[in-house]
Amino acid sequence: MSSTIGTTPARQGLGGRLAAVARVVELGPGRVDPKILTEAGQLLLRAGDRLKLSPEHTVVALAGGTGSGKSSLFNAISGLELSPTGVRRPTTARTHACVWGLDGAGPLLDWLQIQWRHRFARASALDKGESGLHGLILLDLPDHDSIRALTDPEADRLIQAADLVVWVLDPQKYADASTHRRYVTELAGHDAVTVFVLNQADRLSPGELAECVADLDDLLRREGVENPVIVPTSATTGRGVDDLRAVLADAVARRRAAIQRLEADLDRLVRRLTKAMPAEGVPPVAASVDDARRIGLTDALCDAAGVPAVGEAMENVYGVRSAEWVGWPYARWAARLRPDPLASLRLNDLKDEIRGLAGGAMSAQPAEVDNAVQALSDGLTTGMHEAWRNAVRDAARSRTAQLPQVLSEELTEIAPRLDRVPAWWRLLLVWQYLLVVLFVAGVAWIGTALAYGVFEVGRIPEGLEAFGDPASLPWVGLMVLSVLGLGLLTAVASRNIVALGAAGERERLEREMRRRVAAVAQSMVIEPVERELARYNEFYAALRAVRG
C-alpha cells in the first residue's frame, strides 16, 4: 500500500482563485445559498490568515475517535510521552502540539489556539536523524466523538485549519459511520492532504490486516477518495511508524501541504457552488439591453400612458380650432346656426383635457406598465438559473410603483397648448375679413347700379354717380365672383395647410413624448436591469475563475 501522499502538481493562481471567491461572496447574496456564502467567507478568512503565517511549517493533525490509539501514535512519532493515553475513555482534553523547528512557529500556534502548556518542541539532541521532519507541527486532537466534543468543537475547528489531516482508525471501528459521514465524505477531493492510518495492526494477523486494508480502501473510494493513502501502524510495537514518519517528512519537505489544503477546500467549495448554481451551459448574456427590447419597452409604456391618444386628440382639436381662424367667414357664420360641434365633443377646455389625459391614462393602467416591465425581464432571462431570473425581474420592477406617476409628470410637462394661435392664422383672418369687406362692397355696388341705373328708382345721390352706371355691372359682378372664389379657395388651401401642420405637430408631440418615456424607462427600468445583468456576468466569470 502506498505510503506517500499524492503528488499531483498544485495548480497555480491560488491568489487569483481566492480573489474570485471574494467576488462570488460579494455578488452572491440573494442568489446563492447563504450557508455556502458563509462557508466561502470562512474559507477566505482562514486562507488569508494561513498564508500570512509561517510557510516553513506544515500543520499535521492526528484525528480519530475514542480508543483509536491516536495519542499513543502521537507519542510514538514524537518519541516522547507528551500526550496522555487511555484505553476505554478519551484522555486528550486539549490539543497537544509537538514542533520540529520552533523558530517562526509561535504566531502559527497562536492562530491554532494551542495553549502554551500544551506546546512541546523537540530538543536538538533528540532530533538527531530526524532533520526531515524539521518544520512539522504535529497536533494530537481531542476525540471527535467524545462527550466533550459535543460542547467544545475544538477537533472540528482544527480539522478545518490543519494543512494535512491524518485519520487514525482502528480495526474495530474503521468503518464508523460518524467519522465517514461527518468528515471523510465532506473532505472528498482532499486526497493530497489526507492520510488514513489503520492503527493497532498488531491485533490482526497478516491476512486479516490485508483484508481490512483492502476493505477500507474500497470504502474510501466509494466515498469519493480517489487515491487513498493508507498506512497500517501499531503504536505499541512501532510497526509502520517509520512509514508514517516518511509520509509526513515528504509533506514537510515539499512545503506544499498548506497550499494544497486551501486548493482542496476551494475545489470542494466549487463543487457546492456549481451544484447550487450550475456554471456549465450558462447562456451568454449581453451586458446591455438590446435596441429591439428598448424600443419594445418604450412602445408598451407609451401605450400604457396613452401617448397615441394624446397625439390623435391634439391633431383633431388642432383642426377644429383652426376653423375659427382660417375658414371662410360666411361658412363659419352659417355653422353657428347649427349645434356647436365643440360642445358636443366636450372640447371647451381642451388644454386641461389634454393635460389630464396622460395622468389619467397612467393612473388607470398600472397593470399595463407592470406587463411591459415583466415582458422585458422575461425576454432577457431565458435559460437563466431561477435565482438570477428572480433577481433580474426584481431589478426591473424595483421602481414600478413610482413609474406611472413619473411618466404622468413627464408627459404633463409637454402637454400641447391648445389655446396657442399661430401668427399666420391671424394674418389669414385679416385677409379673409378683407375679402368679406370687398364682397360686401361689390354686392352694394351691384345693388346701387341696379336700383339707380336699371330700375331708375330715383335720383342717385351726388358723388355716387359712378356706382349707378349699368355698364359697370358685368365688371363688378366678375369682381364679386372673384372675391367669393378667392375666399373659398383661401379657406380650402388653409384647411389643407392646417391639416398638414396638425399631422406634423402630432408627429413632433409624439416624438417628444416617446423621448421622455424612453428616458424614464432607461433610468427606472433598464439601468437597474443592466446592473443586474453585469452582476450576473461578473458572478459567473468569478465562478469560472474559482474553478481554476
Side-chain angles (χ1 to χ4, degrees):
M1 195 61 59
S2 173
S3 61
T4 59
I5 302 176
T7 57
T8 301
R11 287 177 303 206
Q12 300 300 315
L14 177 61
R17 294 182 73 195
L18 290 173
V21 171
R23 194 67 179 139
V24 167
V25 171
E26 180 183 352
L27 298 172
R31 287 89 179 147
V32 182
D33 185 346
K35 292 182 179 179
I36 299 179
L37 293 180
T38 299
E39 178 184 336
Q42 292 172 346
L43 173 58
L44 286 173
L45 292 175
R46 187 167 68 250
D49 291 342
R50 182 62 184 94
L51 292 175
K52 287 186 296 186
L53 298 170
S54 175
E56 301 300 319
H57 288 84
T58 300
V59 179
V60 177
L62 297 181
T66 304
S68 62
K70 173 173 49 61
S71 296
S72 298
L73 191 60
F74 176 82
N75 293 334
I77 295 172
S78 63
L80 299 172
E81 291 295 326
L82 301 178
S83 188
T85 62
V87 178
R88 294 185 179 180
R89 60 184 179 86
T91 55
T92 306
R94 287 293 178 185
T95 301
H96 292 64
C98 183
V99 183
W100 281 258
L102 196 57
D103 291 343
L108 183 53
L109 291 169
D110 291 340
W111 177 66
L112 294 170
Q113 301 177 27
I114 307 300
Q115 297 177 1
W116 278 93
R117 65 178 181 274
H118 295 145
R119 301 180 186 181
F120 306 97
R122 287 297 305 258
S124 58
L126 295 176
D127 286 341
K128 187 175 181 179
E130 294 188 357
S131 59
L133 295 180
H134 184 81
L136 171 64
I137 297 179
L138 186 64
L139 305 180
D140 180 19
L141 306 186
D143 300 331
H144 67 78
D145 56 354
S146 66
I147 298 299
R148 184 177 175 278
L150 298 177
T151 57
D152 186 3
E154 182 174 352
D156 289 350
R157 177 178 61 81
L158 291 172
I159 288 171
Q160 293 293 325
D163 302 330
L164 175 67
V165 178
V166 177
W167 287 101
V168 181
L169 309 172
D170 65 83
Q172 288 76 32
K173 297 192 299 180
Y174 68 86
D176 180 58
S178 65
T179 299
H180 288 265
R181 184 176 59 252
R182 290 178 56 191
Y183 300 104
V184 177
T185 302
E186 283 295 313
L187 294 177
H190 287 60
D191 303 24
V193 289
T194 308
V195 176
F196 298 91
V197 169
L198 187 61
N199 197 26
Q200 301 175 8
D202 55 294
R203 297 183 179 182
L204 303 174
S205 66
E208 291 173 334
L209 179 59
E211 183 178 348
C212 281
V213 169
D215 187 54
L216 177 58
D217 182 85
D218 180 65
L219 176 61
L220 293 173
R221 290 180 185 275
R222 283 189 279 113
E223 291 175 337
V225 184
E226 295 182 359
N227 299 292
V229 176
I230 302 175
V231 182
T233 63
S234 172
T236 302
T237 66
R239 176 182 175 179
V241 174
D242 288 341
D243 293 337
L244 181 56
R245 281 201 187 99
V247 171
L248 301 183
D250 179 66
V252 169
R254 287 187 289 111
R255 300 288 190 267
R256 292 288 301 168
I259 300 299
Q260 288 175 320
R261 172 60 193 266
L262 292 175
E263 288 185 331
D265 288 345
L266 278 172
D267 291 340
R268 180 181 63 179
L269 177 65
V270 166
R271 287 193 296 271
R272 295 195 62 191
L273 277 170
T274 52
K275 183 178 180 181
M277 196 71 59
E280 296 296 336
V282 173
V285 173
S288 60
V289 178
D290 59 272
D291 291 340
R293 288 193 172 90
R294 289 173 185 268
I295 294 173
L297 177 63
T298 300
D299 289 343
L301 291 179
C302 284
D303 290 340
V307 169
V310 172
E312 182 178 359
M314 186 281 305
E315 183 177 12
N316 293 336
V317 171
Y318 194 81
V320 172
R321 284 188 59 84
S322 68
E324 301 176 1
W325 294 86
V326 302
W328 183 230
Y330 293 110
R332 292 202 303 273
W333 295 335
R336 289 178 181 175
L337 301 176
R338 300 192 300 269
D340 185 2
L342 290 180
S344 66
L345 293 174
R346 295 172 54 248
L347 298 175
N348 294 316
D349 191 1
L350 293 170
K351 179 180 177 180
D352 292 340
E353 195 77 19
I354 293 297
R355 285 187 176 275
L357 184 58
M362 284 307 306
S363 61
Q365 302 296 333
E368 291 189 17
V369 174
D370 190 71
N371 290 339
V373 173
Q374 184 67 41
L376 175 72
S377 64
D378 288 345
L380 291 170
T381 57
T382 302
M384 281 188 180
H385 188 277
E386 182 180 1
W388 286 101
R389 286 201 306 271
N390 293 337
V392 173
R393 181 197 62 201
D394 292 344
R397 294 168 54 88
S398 60
R399 301 183 66 185
T400 51
Q402 300 82 31
L403 186 56
Q405 181 62 30
V406 173
L407 283 172
S408 178
E409 292 172 355
E410 287 290 326
L411 297 183
T412 299
E413 288 183 6
I414 57 173
R417 289 186 54 191
L418 298 177
D419 56 353
R420 180 177 60 87
V421 178
W424 71 273
W425 286 14
R426 299 181 186 276
L427 293 175
L428 192 57
L429 183 64
V430 173
W431 167 252
Q432 293 279 28
Y433 276 107
L434 177 60
L435 292 178
V436 168
V437 171
L438 290 175
F439 180 78
V440 171
V443 171
W445 190 338
I446 291 173
T448 301
L450 287 174
Y452 292 102
V454 176
F455 298 109
E456 297 179 352
V457 296
R459 184 177 178 81
I460 189 169
E462 187 177 354
L464 299 178
E465 292 83 356
F467 296 99
D469 185 0
S472 65
L473 284 174
W475 301 106
V476 175
L478 180 61
M479 181 195 72
V480 170
L481 291 176
S482 298
V483 169
L484 183 60
L486 185 58
L488 293 174
L489 180 62
T490 300
V492 171
S494 300
R495 294 298 296 272
N496 289 335
I497 294 173
V498 167
L500 292 175
E505 186 70 11
R506 174 181 180 176
E507 182 180 349
R508 183 203 64 78
L509 176 64
E510 290 186 352
R511 183 168 57 249
E512 178 62 15
M513 284 186 167
R514 282 185 60 84
R515 187 188 68 79
R516 295 283 187 109
V517 170
V520 171
Q522 174 69 25
S523 63
M524 300 187 69
V525 179
I526 293 177
E527 287 181 2
V529 166
E530 288 182 338
R531 285 195 293 269
E532 193 61 35
L533 294 179
R535 182 173 183 172
Y536 170 87
N537 288 327
E538 290 178 23
F539 175 85
Y540 277 104
L543 188 56
R544 287 189 289 271
V546 174
R547 298 176 67 181

